[in-house]
Amino acid sequence: MTIPSHANVVIIGGGVAGCSIAYHLTKLGVRDVVLLERRQLTCGTTWHAAGLVGQLRATRNLTELAKYTADLYHSLEAETGQATGFRQNGSISVAKTEARFEELKRGVSMGRMFGLEMHVLTPGEIRERWPLLKVDDLVGGIFIPKDGQTNPIDTTQALAKGAKQGGARIFENTKVERIRVEQGRATGVETSAGYIAADTVILAGGMWSRDLAAAAGVAVPLHAAEHFYIVTEPIAGLPTGLPVLRVQDECAYYKEDAGKLLMGCFEPVAKPWGMKGISEDFCFDTLPEDSEHFEPILNDAIERVPVLADAGIALFFNGPESFTPDDRYYIGEAPEVRDLFVATGFNSVGIAASGGVGKVVAQWVVDRRPPMDLADVDVRRVIPFQSNRNYLHDRTVETLGLLYAMHWPYFQYRSARGARRSPLHDRLVAAGACMGETAGWERPNWYGAPGSKPQYEYSYGRQNWFDHCRDECTATRDGVALYDQTSFSKFLVQGADACRILNFMSTSNIDVPVGKVVYTQWLNDAAGIEADLTITRTGPTEFLVVTAAAAQTRDLAWLRRAIEADAGARCAVTDVTAGVAMLGIMGPKSRDLLEGLSGGDLSNAAHPFGWSREIELGYARVRASRITYVGELGWELYVSTEFVGHVYERLLAAGEALGLRHAGYHAMSACRLEKGYRHWGHDIADEDTPLEGGLGFTVAWDKAGGFRGREKLLEQRAKKALAKRLVQVRVDVEGASAPLLYHEEPLVRDGVIVGSIKSGAFGHRIGRSLGMAYVYNDAGVDAAWLAGGRFEVEVACERYPATVQLEAFYDPRSLKIKA
């Protein structure tokens, strides 16, 4: 079969993900699909996967995708006639500690929201289902009946057969040498058999994806690591149909197959592989054994499953798997190049994820927008520096093991740290900052005593920084606090058409007087929220866009593509994040501090809320914007990086008499939740509209020229009631026994689950555990419906009384910020 000169879609990579995407594209009626595999289908990573099909993931939507995968594998053999080896024998995860048991039970609560059958087990019940297991030191576990296992090669072949039955063409032994990019678009691929022009290119090349993407100017950070497992000789008396077993506290998993046991591990310190590239003839290759590296895990396994002590080892396997810096895979259209999609970096969950991934990527390609909120795995979360080889090598040492490590709230990576730093970094550390990481930025999360070495002590309850955070929140409420917000992303938009373009992108009216700060959203055509940010008009044809650190790549790409779509527009955007520091001066004494330093009038009359102007601080000119993310009187100061050290020193000196205190991002998060301020990616995303998210006040319905998504939003406004709304949740339990909310805890009304927590924290100004949640009611969600029900929030299978309302719990009339 000769390769064609053109295809509607070209897929690079014949692993389980690539074949699943081809299969699902044909299901959507896309017949002109070509899949190219450099050697043979599955020969990279897929073939040696353990084949575990687990459904519980970190978020609701990712769990939904894994649940779909299990359902697909269950029916795939009957559809295609190709055996898959899929067995729905369930899975058991066990806990050696109370903390692990709480993690598992929180997962059970989340799974209940969408009908995933799960059971909490006692040690005795675990032993009944897995009789070979030592259970005397276990606390408990969970059982998921519809989890299972499959044969990776056979399952991939079934997907490939289904794709071919739908019209797709698959070419093996056809290496893609380069993705061709012209005028910012992927136009085809150059292969060992010739060039294929394409309307869409999808990169699903596993370990090879980083380099192929880099050659096309796209950042896809991933790195391979060695992954180990053993397969025993046949074990006499081994029960058949055992559930897949995970003993995460010992880094191990177990799978019964044909009378043998497979035991693999995700060890805490991994071995990165492929730093010098991958051999050209790599195909079904294995890596050298390293029994010394594997031995500690094996010794624990023999203690846990004593029958292993006398079982012979038929196979000691070592093969490469690719890992991303945050242990989440990449899907979606590349922000740097149009019509180039990626589906790669599966972190050893490719078999369990690929069914759902194939479905949503195919829908994304057809509709040119994601079918659901996929921000957790969207490739637009990548910061370009993360493709650095040294960074990837150092982070991969840690990321493999994190799959089975405790998934603590507020967990901070230990490896590959210090990449991006505020100019004040060393001074903040000296002031007692405990640094966390976001998008590579080192940011002060909380402050210990000066001169101390504050470190996290993790738990699901009140962690060791709880009281420090309380004091920072109190200072923000009663005095004045300094927040280093330098990591916020900042874009300068300039040109004669800048106002017109930004105005059409934004729900709010951006054609405002110079100096006005506008809070707004950017919507897609379905009225879903793509970005949540502020725009300050700094001149007649100049605007400053400020957004979250983690949204830097995504929002910049959205902005640039809007400009590109406006042919001939006189508008340019510059990312000025690195050149502009940002300090938040927040609290009722912030005006006293800044007026004393600047000598200017910062009264309500001279500088009202929502306005920005330049002031003098020390020897510097600083842009002072009266706006807040913590719900108190305050200003955000934008300072050129060469001056920020000097400005900081002046603020500290003048602030001493006012009791100025440093505050970190944990305090900011707690304060913004009390005030009901949304966080994109948690409380609002591209499947939520401003009306559902309680942000209708930002919408300038009748402004000249309208805005993107207006038609769909008008349709929603015309409805009698919204069936989905974002609400504020307070747990009505006092004291240290109150559970803390993090994400995806079910919200229950009169015994029925009606929604889930999107983000949570302890509100120190309120003295309660708080959260924000979406609730659903077909007849409409309004204040009367909320007041007419008895609400509870479920945490780790226990339910607690809660108050639910539409308005913020702290200063709902915003009197403090306008004081």
Side-chain angles (χ1 to χ4, degrees):
M1 187 165 56
T2 304
I3 67 167
S5 60
H6 177 272
N8 185 285
V9 180
V10 169
I11 301 170
I12 305 169
V16 65
C19 291
S20 178
I21 295 167
Y23 169 87
H24 284 90
L25 281 169
T26 64
K27 292 294 184 183
L28 294 176
V30 183
R31 308 297 182 190
D32 188 14
V33 177
V34 169
L35 184 147
L36 305 172
E37 165 53 47
R38 58 181 290 279
R39 294 290 182 176
Q40 294 174 248
L41 296 184
T42 78
C43 75
T45 295
T46 296
W47 73 276
H48 63 71
L52 311 186
V53 185
Q55 298 173 81
L56 186 63
R57 293 291 177 260
T59 66
R60 174 176 183 151
N61 281 353
L62 296 187
T63 302
E64 290 277 22
L65 296 188
K67 187 171 181 286
Y68 169 82
T69 299
D71 293 341
L72 173 66
Y73 291 172
H74 186 265
S75 62
L76 195 57
E77 182 173 343
E79 177 191 345
T80 64
Q82 165 70 48
T84 63
F86 179 69
R87 292 163 46 192
Q88 209 158 31
N89 48 330
S91 75
I92 293 175
S93 296
V94 303
K96 293 176 65 176
T97 66
E98 291 292 346
R100 177 72 74 177
F101 199 29
E102 176 165 355
E103 177 184 296
L104 295 176
K105 288 188 291 184
R106 282 177 175 260
V108 171
S109 289
M110 181 180 73
R112 287 174 175 167
M113 289 189 295
F114 37 92
L116 181 58
E117 184 183 354
M118 305 174 74
H119 305 281
V120 178
L121 304 180
T122 66
E125 291 169 330
I126 294 169
R127 183 64 181 264
E128 290 175 8
R129 286 178 166 84
W130 235 90
L132 302 179
L133 193 68
K134 175 186 173 185
V135 300
D136 58 343
D137 61 342
L138 299 182
V139 176
I142 63 171
F143 175 56
I144 307 177
K146 291 189 177 181
D147 278 0
Q149 59 195 65
T150 197
N151 183 300
I153 293 177
D154 291 346
T155 301
T156 304
Q157 293 291 353
L159 290 166
K161 185 175 180 180
K164 288 187 284 188
Q165 289 172 342
R169 290 169 288 178
I170 295 177
F171 296 86
E172 296 181 295
N173 297 303
T174 307
K175 179 186 177 184
V176 173
E177 296 171 341
R178 188 168 72 93
I179 299 167
R180 186 178 293 183
V181 176
E182 298 175 2
Q183 296 181 335
R185 294 177 179 271
T187 57
V189 295
E190 297 175 8
T191 82
S192 56
Y195 177 69
I196 307 177
D199 302 317
T200 302
V201 176
I202 303 175
L203 176 56
M207 299 180 292
W208 292 267
S209 295
R210 177 198 174 276
D211 291 348
L212 278 168
V218 173
V220 180
L222 54 81
H223 199 297
E226 299 183 26
H227 180 52
F228 301 88
Y229 61 74
I230 62 165
V231 179
T232 70
E233 300 282 359
I235 297 175
L238 182 68
T240 59
L242 286 174
V244 170
L245 173 68
R246 295 178 178 87
V247 188
Q248 294 161 313
D249 294 318
E250 295 171 353
C251 313
Y253 61 87
Y254 302 80
K255 181 184 80 169
E256 180 273 327
D257 194 6
K260 306 173 184 178
L261 274 182
L262 179 152
M263 189 281 289
C265 70
F266 293 101
E267 67 277 19
V269 180
K271 296 180 65 179
W273 178 83
M275 287 76 72
K276 298 180 180 179
I278 303 171
S279 170
E280 183 67 26
D281 58 359
F282 189 99
C283 181
F284 298 112
D285 284 21
T286 61
L287 306 181
E289 295 183 8
D290 189 343
S291 56
E292 184 176 346
H293 183 81
F294 189 71
E295 186 176 7
I297 306 294
L298 181 58
N299 289 338
D300 286 343
I302 291 172
E303 288 289 323
R304 182 63 53 198
V305 183
V307 70
L308 287 175
D310 299 317
I313 297 177
L315 173 66
F316 187 111
F317 184 83
N318 181 11
E321 303 255 4
S322 58
F323 291 83
T324 66
D326 59 6
D327 263 344
R328 289 178 276 139
Y329 51 84
Y330 300 129
I331 59 175
E333 189 175 19
E336 303 94 336
V337 176
R338 285 184 179 273
D339 303 325
L340 175 59
F341 284 73
V342 300
T344 191
F346 284 99
N347 305 285
S348 285
V349 299
I351 301 300
S354 286
V357 163
K359 178 183 179 181
V360 295
V361 170
Q363 292 173 319
W364 202 333
V365 167
V366 170
D367 298 335
R368 278 320 197 248
R369 63 180 177 86
M372 60 198 303
D373 174 18
L374 295 166
D376 283 342
V377 290
D378 193 325
V379 70
R380 289 176 291 174
R381 73 184 187 274
V382 167
I383 307 299
F385 90 90
Q386 292 175 316
S387 277
N388 177 285
R389 290 183 183 274
N390 293 323
Y391 172 84
L392 287 170
H393 172 274
D394 293 349
R395 176 56 63 84
T396 302
V397 171
E398 180 180 13
T399 49
L400 179 145
L402 291 180
L403 288 177
Y404 275 18
M406 283 292 301
H407 299 94
W408 295 115
Y410 306 104
F411 173 79
Q412 302 298 321
Y413 293 102
R414 299 179 300 275
S415 60
R417 293 289 298 269
R420 306 174 80 186
R421 305 184 189 188
S422 159
L424 302 177
H425 176 271
D426 292 349
R427 305 185 198 205
L428 300 179
V429 170
C434 182
M435 291 291 177
E437 182 208 18
T438 295
W441 280 100
E442 294 294 317
R443 312 198 307 179
N445 279 349
W446 56 280
Y447 288 84
S452 68
K453 292 185 177 180
Q455 297 177 337
Y456 279 89
E457 296 174 11
Y458 295 115
S459 77
Y460 274 97
R462 298 182 176 187
Q463 297 186 10
N464 63 314
W465 48 266
F466 185 88
D467 290 344
H468 297 285
C469 181
R470 177 201 61 208
D471 294 344
E472 294 167 23
C473 293
T474 301
T476 304
R477 181 193 66 194
D478 298 338
V480 59
L482 184 151
Y483 293 83
D484 182 2
Q485 299 173 241
T486 298
S487 62
F488 277 48
S489 303
K490 299 165 282 280
F491 314 135
L492 189 63
V493 185
Q494 298 168 296
D497 295 317
C499 182
R500 177 176 57 80
I501 290 173
L502 287 172
N503 216 21
F504 183 71
M505 293 178 68
S506 305
T507 56
S508 304
N509 183 23
I510 307 302
D511 193 1
V512 294
V514 173
K516 188 74 177 77
V517 183
V518 180
Y519 170 55
T520 190
Q521 288 78 47
W522 291 344
L523 308 185
N524 54 41
D525 292 331
I529 300 171
E530 292 285 345
D532 180 70
L533 36 76
T534 63
I535 300 177
T536 303
R537 190 164 200 169
T538 54
T541 60
E542 181 179 279
F543 298 81
L544 179 66
V545 176
V546 180
T547 188
Q552 183 174 6
T553 298
R554 180 191 182 98
D555 291 357
L556 184 59
W558 191 262
L559 175 56
R560 283 177 169 162
R561 290 190 175 181
I563 296 171
E564 292 167 5
D566 196 322
R570 296 163 296 172
C571 183
V573 58
T574 307
D575 187 344
V576 297
T577 303
V580 180
M582 179 178 168
L583 301 177
I585 305 299
M586 300 292 158
K589 296 180 181 179
S590 58
R591 179 181 284 124
D592 296 337
L593 173 59
L594 295 178
E595 282 187 335
L597 267 177
S598 68
D601 181 1
L602 298 180
S603 65
N604 279 329
H607 196 154
F609 179 76
W611 287 82
S612 177
R613 78 175 201 252
E614 288 191 344
I615 62 175
E616 293 183 353
L617 287 183
Y619 303 142
R621 289 192 64 81
V622 173
R623 173 164 295 282
S625 298
R626 188 174 168 191
I627 194 168
T628 177
Y629 197 47
V630 297
E632 302 287 352
L633 173 69
W635 279 260
E636 291 176 351
L637 306 180
Y638 296 87
V639 191
S640 182
T641 52
E642 73 264 34
F643 286 105
V644 70
H646 167 71
V647 169
Y648 173 77
E649 290 167 357
R650 291 297 179 96
L651 287 167
L652 288 191
E656 185 174 2
L658 298 172
L660 174 70
R661 186 183 181 102
H662 290 85
Y665 278 83
H666 290 340
M668 181 179 290
S669 179
C671 290
R672 70 99 183 164
L673 267 160
E674 291 174 308
K675 195 67 179 65
Y677 291 151
R678 280 62 167 159
H679 185 283
W680 195 93
H682 289 90
D683 313 305
I684 50 176
D686 56 9
E687 65 179 4
D688 311 310
T689 72
L691 298 182
E692 293 166 339
L695 297 170
F697 66 90
T698 73
V699 181
W701 294 97
D702 300 319
K703 67 177 177 177
F707 56 89
R708 185 174 182 180
R710 179 176 181 269
E711 291 74 19
K712 289 292 185 181
L713 205 58
L714 281 170
E715 291 177 14
Q716 190 174 65
R717 186 176 70 162
K719 296 178 180 179
K720 290 183 178 180
L722 293 175
K724 165 190 172 185
R725 294 188 73 175
L726 189 68
V727 298
Q728 312 300 310
V729 180
R730 183 187 68 206
V731 179
D732 292 330
V733 178
E734 296 187 60
S737 62
L740 298 182
L741 306 181
Y742 299 113
H743 70 102
E744 301 292 6
E745 293 89 353
L747 192 61
V748 181
R749 182 184 186 271
D750 296 337
V752 178
I753 295 175
V754 294
S756 64
I757 300 296
K758 307 312 293 180
S759 60
F762 191 88
H764 292 280
R765 294 176 298 189
I766 297 294
R768 293 288 190 279
S769 187
L770 302 176
M772 277 191 261
Y774 278 106
V775 294
Y776 301 80
N777 179 43
D778 291 340
V781 176
D782 56 21
W785 182 79
L786 294 175
R790 181 178 63 88
F791 280 91
E792 298 170 290
V793 64
E794 182 174 316
V795 181
C797 301
E798 299 289 335
R799 292 184 176 180
Y800 301 86
T803 296
V804 177
Q805 61 188 43
L806 292 172
E807 66 179 13
F809 286 102
Y810 184 75
D811 189 25
R813 296 174 59 194
S814 295
L815 299 178
K816 288 178 174 289
I817 66 174
K818 298 176 181 178

